[in-house]
Amino acid sequence: MNTDNTNKFNGRFGKYGGQYIAETLMPAMSEIETAFNTARNNREFQKDLTFYLKEFVGRPSPLFYAERLTEQLQGAKIYLKREDLNHTGAHKINNTMGQALLAQRMKKSRLIAETGAGQHGVATATAAAIFGFSCDVYMGEEDMKRQEENVKRMYMLGAKVIPVHSGTKTLKDAMNEAMREWIATSDDTFYVIGSAAGPHPYPIIVREFQKIIGEETKQQILEKENRLPDTVIACVGGGSNAIGIFTPFIPTDSVKLIGVEAAGFGLNTSQHAASISGGKVGILHGSKTYLLQTEDGQICNAHSISAGLDYPGVGPEHSWLHDKHRVQYVSVTDEEAVNAFLELTRIQGIIPALESSHAVAHTIKAAPSLPNNHIIVVNVSGRGDKDMQSVNQYLSEK
Amino acid sequence: MDRIKKIFSEKAKVFVAYITAGFPSVDDTLKLMNILVDNGVDIIELGYPFSDPAADGPSIQISSQIALDKGFKRDHYFEILRKFRVNNDTNPVVVFGYLNPVYNMGIKPFVANVKESGGDALLIVDLPFEEQSEIRPDADSCGLHIIQLVSPSTNSDRMKSILESATGFVYQISIRGVTGERENIEETVTKHTREIKSQTDLPIALGFGISKAAQIESVIETVDGIVIGSSIINTIRDNMKNYEAPLIKKIRELSESIHHAN
């Protein structure tokens, strides 16, 4: 498939993406774009980033053959990309280390970030701690209650967590508030966006810092199987872990790519977070993309048991990959995700994040009907220790 | 002659007032528009409530939320505009909002409805100059202005392009930040106004953060108009049960500062 358009990039993936932001932020965007384009081709920058990813984050993460899960499902051969083993417990740190190093080159003194589940907030606070930035993390009041431990972690790391009381008091409102803060402070502050969303150039920046997941996967599967996988599966909220693992495989049409959205209580209810499967194209947080919205153009509340997928939009590149039929987007309910969470934990000894459990759930559905020589790679984007409370509560209410 | 051109040519200084459609209720909005123009407001910026107003401060956020919670729908917006035009053909109305509700309806029908209902211009906060190509042909063909914003952070290259395509008036943002009342006004504002003036013949209205007579006094000489928003919303919110008298008092004071400068 032709992906050349990203080389002479104009801020668009087909009709998606763009820079739908306040005038006051436009100069900050071109400043970041220039700095990023210089940095990505700079040896010193790449050397620094590689060093920290290896020595601090713990990369490469293993590609693990899930033998017992494969035997149980009696179909495709399943490999797990273990992003859960990264420092701070998820893929989010790949991106925050990259953006923090970029902020350092741009001589910014402060990082701000939005967070839903708290994983991106923790990863930003961690990068801020090691590089000596001051750090403010915007977090919806509701999410602060749901993810109390992560709030404590951020404080211990030296960041300040700013409760967001506006709107639905969740991730999208945290992003609004971080944007508002940034409009006033972009001179000395770098906004670390955690998802492959937001105005150009953020979707590119996040993809470039996350594509190491796919690059390692490609090399590891060639070492183990001497060929590319048949299918790669990842969960999609905003879509950063998915774009990270998909990117190196996009030009190879023989590799099937599947993005798994959160269907919450079901796509036929209003309680889900599947922007592509159940949304309509619109404009939010700086880019044109699929969104959950009312028939009147107001943004809806998303719902997912996984706070990290609980977002009414999706990264613009995913919208484009959907329209081009390069990635198939499917969805998995809260119930299916919790069952997959329990199953992987019990038979493989790996507790996946509830986000990643959506990818595992789709794998469990798809694998049995596939032949033994079919190779699936699932991105286990994070670990599930943070989700004990959510899972226990879900099980007790059932 | 279009209404915007006319009002700037007739008045030495122009008072632009922002209110949110549907706040405190759909019925109140029409009444409020008439209170505004009867007491000295020249141009109304009629906010289109949006669930995610990422460039607005707390006052406009809350007024938008209240409007949506009370069931504001798209049709109400055009209905308010149409009713206002029944008895008023003089005061321009600028449609102020975010792109998603416009895009959701379809740009062409939205623009056509604004025009047909009596709107004069569009000011879409999250549609910077570079992204306006998809709305410009429709706006141009029916004679609606797209109001351009210039911020203290806008560099000279972009300012040149922005001003070249500007019509109606230029909206100068006084501060780096979101909408909302501020104590002071930055000293560099007037210098910035002069810089804009040197590159355009269009009138300049200054907004963001302005609510006090002293602030108006410090900038009024150089600008052609002043935009007041959050402090009007706050006056209504502070007197929710009976806002009419305090609002009239507030508007008249502001009008006095704007129109009778010197």
Side-chain angles (χ1 to χ4, degrees):
Chain A
M1 177 180 165
N2 180 18
T3 52
D4 281 356
N5 75 326
T6 52
N7 296 330
K8 36 185 186 295
F9 194 76
N10 60 0
R12 297 264 171 193
F13 305 91
K15 69 171 173 176
Y16 301 107
Q19 286 184 317
Y20 299 92
I21 47 170
E23 172 58 30
T24 308
L25 280 179
M26 289 299 283
M29 287 303 155
S30 58
E31 187 193 352
I32 289 176
E33 190 174 3
T34 308
F36 175 67
N37 285 334
T38 313
R40 71 197 287 193
N41 297 316
N42 180 285
R43 270 224 186 114
E44 204 59 30
F45 179 84
Q46 292 300 343
K47 209 180 98 191
D48 284 352
L49 181 58
T50 306
F51 170 83
Y52 283 107
L53 290 179
K54 177 164 181 270
E55 305 289 340
F56 184 68
V57 174
R59 301 208 72 90
S61 67
L63 182 69
F64 178 71
Y65 171 43
E67 192 173 359
R68 293 196 65 205
L69 184 64
T70 300
E71 276 170 14
Q72 174 165 315
L73 297 174
Q74 295 184 0
K77 190 170 183 185
I78 299 163
Y79 281 90
L80 307 175
K81 179 61 175 166
R82 301 288 312 275
E83 289 298 298
D84 59 311
L85 292 176
N86 291 336
H87 180 42
T88 73
H91 72 290
K92 292 288 184 191
I93 190 98
N94 303 330
N95 172 49
T96 61
M97 294 303 283
Q99 288 197 37
L101 279 170
L102 187 61
Q104 202 174 49
R105 280 175 71 92
M106 294 171 72
K107 311 225 175 331
K108 304 289 180 187
S109 57
R110 172 176 174 246
L111 304 181
I112 56 170
E114 81 293 342
T115 197
Q119 290 305 103
H120 174 60
V122 167
T124 305
T126 301
I130 189 175
F131 296 126
F133 290 100
S134 73
C135 180
D136 291 335
V137 178
Y138 291 81
M139 190 169 187
E141 211 180 9
E142 275 306 308
D143 289 334
M144 284 180 74
K145 275 186 237 155
R146 288 197 280 190
Q147 303 286 342
E148 213 185 320
E149 290 303 310
N150 273 341
V151 174
K152 288 181 193 154
R153 285 166 84 190
M154 286 185 266
Y155 269 109
M156 275 183 195
L157 287 159
K160 206 163 86 194
V161 181
I162 300 171
V164 175
H165 309 291
S166 58
T168 58
K169 304 175 179 68
T170 61
L171 179 57
K172 81 176 174 76
D173 308 285
M175 200 152 173
N176 291 336
E177 208 52 44
M179 285 267 185
R180 290 179 188 120
E181 171 65 16
W182 200 37
I183 291 175
T185 60
S186 60
D187 270 351
D188 67 354
T189 299
F190 189 98
Y191 180 15
V192 182
I193 294 185
S195 198
H200 173 69
Y202 277 100
I204 304 278
I205 292 178
V206 174
R207 178 190 71 196
E208 292 303 302
F209 289 141
Q210 291 294 1
K211 75 178 183 193
I212 190 166
I213 306 171
E215 285 166 349
E216 284 176 9
T217 300
K218 198 168 173 180
Q219 193 184 339
Q220 289 162 327
I221 200 78
L222 287 173
E223 279 163 16
K224 288 174 202 291
E225 295 280 349
N226 204 23
R227 69 177 183 92
L228 293 179
D230 298 289
T231 302
V232 177
I233 301 176
C235 66
V236 177
S240 66
N241 88 83
I243 209 70
I245 197 166
F246 290 165
T247 293
F249 296 106
I250 288 172
T252 312
D253 282 331
S254 60
V255 180
K256 187 174 182 185
L257 305 173
I258 300 178
V260 187
E261 295 193 299
F265 295 147
L267 285 189
N268 54 346
T269 71
S270 61
Q271 303 281 296
H272 65 80
S275 316
I276 292 180
S277 311
K280 195 180 155 191
V281 177
I283 292 95
L284 181 68
H285 297 145
S287 70
K288 185 181 284 180
T289 192
Y290 282 94
L291 299 174
L292 299 179
Q293 52 183 309
T294 66
E295 53 178 24
D296 223 30
Q298 305 294 341
I299 307 303
C300 296
N301 293 349
H303 164 80
S304 169
I305 187 168
S306 132
L309 302 182
D310 202 348
Y311 179 66
V314 64
E317 192 166 5
H318 286 290
S319 294
W320 182 69
L321 290 166
H322 166 75
D323 284 7
K324 301 274 279 184
H325 304 293
R326 179 61 191 96
V327 177
Q328 183 193 358
Y329 293 87
V330 299
S331 64
V332 151
T333 62
D334 285 352
E335 186 175 11
E336 291 168 321
V338 170
N339 289 340
F341 175 99
L342 297 172
E343 185 144 347
L344 194 71
T345 301
R346 199 171 50 240
I347 68 171
Q348 285 297 166
I350 294 169
I351 306 177
L354 273 174
E355 291 79 8
S356 324
S357 299
H358 285 71
V360 176
H362 183 75
T363 306
I364 291 171
K365 278 200 257 183
S369 59
L370 294 165
N372 294 335
N373 61 359
H374 187 107
I375 298 170
I376 294 179
V377 174
V378 190
N379 197 15
V380 182
S381 55
R383 67 175 183 229
D385 309 51
K386 67 179 176 64
D387 295 315
M388 287 304 135
Q389 199 189 326
S390 303
V391 171
N392 283 325
Q393 194 180 336
Y394 180 87
L395 294 174
S396 69
E397 283 169 7
K398 225 176 109 177
Chain B
M1 192 189 260
D2 77 43
R3 293 185 195 102
I4 290 179
K5 213 169 188 174
K6 190 150 180 279
I7 206 128
F8 275 103
S9 71
E10 286 173 0
K11 302 255 177 168
K13 305 291 172 187
V14 163
F15 181 2
V16 186
Y18 169 94
I19 51 169
T20 305
F23 169 79
S25 75
V26 169
D27 290 339
D28 281 279
T29 306
L30 181 64
K31 191 171 104 187
L32 277 167
M33 290 172 84
N34 287 316
I35 291 177
L36 295 179
V37 296
D38 289 346
N39 291 283
V41 168
D42 301 303
I43 299 180
I44 293 176
E45 252 183 42
L46 186 61
Y48 190 113
F50 182 48
S51 54
D52 293 77
D56 282 301
S59 310
I60 296 182
Q61 285 175 46
I62 292 164
S63 64
S64 305
Q65 194 58 51
I66 290 173
L68 294 174
D69 288 347
K70 287 197 176 170
F72 171 90
K73 290 281 182 309
R74 180 187 294 134
D75 290 347
H76 293 134
Y77 193 88
F78 298 118
E79 186 189 308
I80 293 166
L81 264 180
R82 271 195 299 273
K83 284 187 177 163
F84 177 69
R85 277 286 168 250
V86 172
N87 297 310
N88 184 315
D89 194 33
T90 319
N91 297 99
V93 178
V94 176
V95 175
F96 177 103
Y98 290 79
L99 185 58
N100 196 57
V102 178
Y103 190 83
N104 177 280
M105 182 181 188
I107 286 171
K108 199 183 264 298
F110 189 93
V111 167
N113 265 282
V114 168
K115 181 66 187 177
E116 185 209 326
S117 317
D120 298 274
L122 299 166
L123 197 169
I124 300 174
V125 199
D126 55 352
L127 194 69
F129 170 71
E130 285 82 350
E131 299 287 2
Q132 286 168 6
S133 57
E134 59 187 313
I135 198 165
R136 184 166 293 287
D138 293 317
D140 284 353
S141 74
C142 67
L144 278 183
H145 297 289
I146 299 175
I147 301 302
Q148 304 291 348
L149 295 118
V150 175
S151 130
S153 65
T154 308
N155 65 32
S156 52
D157 282 356
R158 289 192 62 253
M159 200 202 294
K160 192 163 175 283
S161 320
I162 290 170
L163 293 177
E164 270 168 13
S165 75
T167 64
F169 63 91
V170 175
Y171 192 131
Q172 180 190 350
I173 300 174
S174 71
I175 36 149
R176 294 189 183 207
V178 294
T179 58
E181 294 186 56
R182 308 286 200 287
E183 275 307 309
N184 301 309
I185 194 156
E186 285 178 36
E187 285 168 12
T188 49
V189 162
T190 296
K191 187 170 160 264
H192 193 217
T193 311
R194 292 213 174 92
E195 209 181 316
I196 302 170
K197 275 243 144 111
S198 72
Q199 295 182 45
T200 181
D201 294 330
L202 290 174
I204 298 170
L206 181 73
F208 279 43
I210 307 174
S211 62
K212 297 178 176 62
Q215 293 173 315
I216 295 169
E217 206 176 302
S218 70
V219 294
I220 193 72
E221 199 186 322
T222 331
V223 298
D224 304 291
I226 297 284
V227 190
I228 316 263
S230 296
S231 80
I232 295 174
I233 299 289
N234 292 344
T235 305
I236 301 168
R237 275 187 66 212
D238 293 346
N239 304 280
M240 212 57 146
K241 288 262 153 57
N242 202 347
Y243 60 78
E244 207 166 318
L247 182 67
I248 290 173
K249 182 166 173 279
K250 173 95 189 168
I251 296 298
R252 285 184 180 168
E253 282 166 11
L254 290 166
S255 171
E256 177 70 21
S257 309
I258 294 166
H259 291 125
H260 302 287
N262 300 323

